[in-house]
Amino acid sequence: MCGILAVFGCIDNSQAKRSRIIELSRRLRHRGPDWSGLHCHGNCYLAHQRLAIVDPTSGDQPLYNEDKTVVVTVNGEIYNHKQLREKLKSHQFRTGSDCEVIAHLYEEYGEDFVDMLDGMFSFVLLDTRDNSFIAARDAIGITPLYIGWGLDGSVWFASEMKALSDDCERFMSFLPGHLYSSKQGALRRWYNPPWFSEQIPSTPYDPILLRETFKKAVVKRLMTDVPFGVLLSGGLDSSLVAAVASRHMVELEAACQWGSQLHTFCVGLKGSPDLKAAREVADYLGTRHHEFHFTVQEGIDALEEVIYHIETYDVTTIRASTPMFLMSRKIKSLGVKMVLSGEGSDEIFGGYLYFHKAPNKEEFHQETCQKIKSLHLYDCLRANKSTSAWGLEARVPFLDKEFINVAMSIDPEWKLIRPDLGRIEKWILRNAFDDEQNPYLPKHILYRQKEQFSDGVGYSWIDGLKDHANKQVTDSMLMNASFIYPENTPATKEAYYYRSIFEKFYPKNAARSTVPGGPSVACSTAKAVEWDAAWSKNPDPSGRAALGVHAAAYEEEVDAKDANLINGSPQKLPGIVEKATTVV
């Protein structure tokens, strides 16, 4: 990941203003510690902090067209840049950077080229011939981008809020799949896939097509000129990413330089079952596996830094981000600069345990659509900012545009959890990789249910956070929370504690409005809370609230206390077993 900052229409274009832009851009240096660049043209500034992944020697930014009349600063990876260069043979390229195609595509096609890009990206482009500019963000919002407005009429763009919050009167998260054009002075959506309308699809389930599309999604993300690996929790999603990647290591160009054995990484409290599960998968795949341990106190000590970097006060996002943040620092210390991760699968296939309560396929499908549309506020934000805090790039194959189109076109009847038919959550994905002749994973791993928090990594970590928050926030403070925080009022002491830290770093109204609110159970949307009357009684949005959906619940009744333990399967944070720990 890189860090970008762009400012257009400043009244002041003095040396002091240039110094201020450099100072603000420096706040993004953790995202791109390898080089800094700045282009000034009149009252326009484009700054860049580079993390060099492709073409480290010549790909410094900003990037230009042939005569430097088009300037672009990019954060991201364009996986189909070689194919796009074939369409641009009349253009002269200065670097081997995958992002340089953006300047030339604009020359060739004007503003209507963004849908041609296959990758994750946020970019800002200046056409100095008429001082017009555009900005765009990838389809799902894998890479972060913010837009802001200054009192002097200036328009700002930045990878993270911290680079523009002090100088903008108002700012907001730039919508995924959208483009801003200075000629229109407004955002418009460039990403218009069939699933976006949320109409119920009817395409039959084709396991071979689903498998082959995912394999392509993984392989294209192995484009790199630096050491890389896979975040492996031992859960289904990360295990499939690792299984596919390990099969294609030998054919990679990078294998000649970095070796053909895949590196995998996992984090957890010592003795946690997650570490054991990840080790089992790593041994089966023959990867070079690295285990990292952290303590509850180390996680608590990192909270302020985590919230500063991830720029949210959402409870489950902070819970899940902390282990990922700590692990990313360890990974970077090994010289690794890029990792593949498993985010997105639960949203696409309805993998969270609350989906067991979906009343019909229509509501199941609409919930998955809503979950994908909000990923940029939750799991994409976590995966990107937790890793970028240490100059590490995370790539997410499940959020490949083509793969999403294939997966979301399947009749959702196939995605429903059907115990009577032996179908657990994400059955269609598991079945697609159930290859008897050449197994990707052992059967018991392939069909392992999304599990509850382990005592070691799940409950002790979350309970440790709650205990710490209870010591920092009094009953009186929580009782008066609606007066202190009238917008998105925290309902628990843990939420209040995180909010107070967030407000210390980002005190403006615009900042707190970038964080979503509303009721949630196990990371559901507010609408899905209605699927079970009991859910509205539990203010904790973690997987513990999704009672009665674990496999054991189909076989016998348990009392409420036991149900809390048996069925507290993590969903987003929760990720410590399947997502957070090593982030699927």
Side-chain angles (χ1 to χ4, degrees), residues 497-537:
Y497 179 59
Y498 298 156
R499 181 66 171 272
S500 65
I501 296 173
F502 176 89
E503 296 270 348
K504 181 170 65 175
F505 294 124
Y506 308 107
K508 289 189 175 179
N509 287 333
R512 66 182 66 103
S513 296
T514 64
V515 182
S520 174
V521 59
C523 299
S524 74
T525 65
K527 175 67 176 172
V529 174
E530 300 171 9
W531 290 352
D532 190 314
W535 290 349
S536 61
K537 301 173 185 176

Side-chain angles (χ1 to χ4, degrees), residues 371-497:
K371 290 292 292 179
I372 296 171
K373 290 177 183 179
S374 63
L375 268 168
H376 67 289
L377 300 171
Y378 297 105
D379 284 26
C380 286
L381 177 149
R382 167 183 53 76
N384 184 281
K385 292 182 180 178
S386 297
T387 53
S388 294
W390 300 106
L392 180 68
E393 175 173 291
R395 299 180 181 178
V396 283
F398 281 106
L399 297 181
D400 179 80
K401 277 199 301 183
E402 183 183 356
F403 180 75
I404 293 176
N405 285 342
V406 169
M408 294 302 289
S409 70
I410 299 170
D411 187 333
E413 183 71 34
W414 288 94
K415 296 181 181 179
L416 290 175
I417 293 98
R418 294 285 302 275
D420 56 320
L421 299 177
R423 294 182 188 171
I424 62 174
E425 63 279 349
K426 296 187 285 194
W427 177 84
I428 63 172
L429 178 62
R430 302 172 194 271
N431 180 68
F433 281 89
D434 193 349
D435 187 340
E436 296 282 356
Q437 303 301 317
N438 192 12
Y440 284 82
L441 294 168
K443 287 263 191 185
H444 70 282
I445 293 175
L446 190 61
Y447 288 97
R448 176 188 288 154
Q449 185 175 31
K450 194 173 184 71
E451 196 50 270
Q452 79 274 10
F453 286 138
S454 68
D455 286 341
V457 174
Y459 293 145
S460 59
W461 167 232
I462 304 313
D463 289 345
L465 288 175
K466 290 184 175 183
D467 290 344
H468 179 70
N470 287 339
K471 295 173 184 175
Q472 309 302 314
V473 180
T474 66
D475 292 343
S476 178
M477 291 165 70
L478 185 61
M479 186 183 303
N480 293 307
S482 62
F483 300 104
I484 304 298
Y485 304 120
E487 182 180 352
N488 278 355
T489 303
T492 66
K493 290 185 177 181
E494 185 184 8
Y496 190 107
Y497 179 59

Side-chain angles (χ1 to χ4, degrees), residues 69-173:
T69 55
V70 175
V71 191
V72 63
T73 182
V74 189
N75 167 36
E77 304 292 340
I78 310 302
Y79 303 122
N80 64 335
H81 73 105
K82 290 184 179 179
Q83 296 92 310
L84 291 172
R85 286 180 183 238
E86 291 298 310
K87 298 176 182 286
L88 299 165
K89 288 194 172 179
S90 62
H91 293 257
Q92 181 180 353
F93 286 79
R94 299 170 179 271
T95 74
S97 168
D98 53 295
C99 295
E100 189 181 349
V101 295
I102 293 174
H104 300 288
L105 286 169
Y106 172 80
E107 274 192 300
E108 195 73 26
Y109 301 100
E111 294 182 354
D112 300 321
F113 69 88
V114 183
D115 199 29
M116 299 170 67
L117 301 175
D118 182 7
M120 56 176 186
F121 55 83
S122 297
F123 71 81
V124 184
L125 180 150
L126 170 66
D127 187 339
T128 63
R129 294 168 293 192
D130 59 4
N131 268 12
S132 64
F133 59 90
I134 61 173
R137 189 177 183 187
D138 65 64
I140 306 299
I142 301 166
T143 61
L145 187 64
Y146 293 83
I147 180 173
W149 296 268
L151 287 174
D152 61 354
S154 55
V155 183
W156 296 60
F157 302 92
S159 294
E160 294 182 5
M161 191 162 58
K162 57 182 64 68
L164 53 69
S165 59
D166 289 345
D167 290 54
C168 289
E169 183 66 16
R170 181 169 177 262
F171 49 90
M172 56 181 272
S173 178

Side-chain angles (χ1 to χ4, degrees), residues 214-269:
F214 181 68
K215 286 165 61 179
K216 284 169 55 181
V218 173
V219 171
K220 74 174 67 168
R221 282 161 179 77
L222 300 178
M223 175 186 81
T224 178
D225 294 325
V226 298
F228 71 97
V230 173
L231 305 185
L232 178 63
S233 69
L236 173 69
D237 306 328
S238 61
S239 297
L240 287 178
V241 173
V244 173
S246 64
R247 289 192 178 194
H248 293 272
M249 288 292 293
V250 176
E251 63 202 53
L252 295 180
E253 294 178 14
C256 300
Q257 189 168 2
W258 311 113
S260 58
Q261 186 180 24
L262 181 67
H263 288 254
T264 51
F265 309 96
C266 184
V267 67
L269 306 186

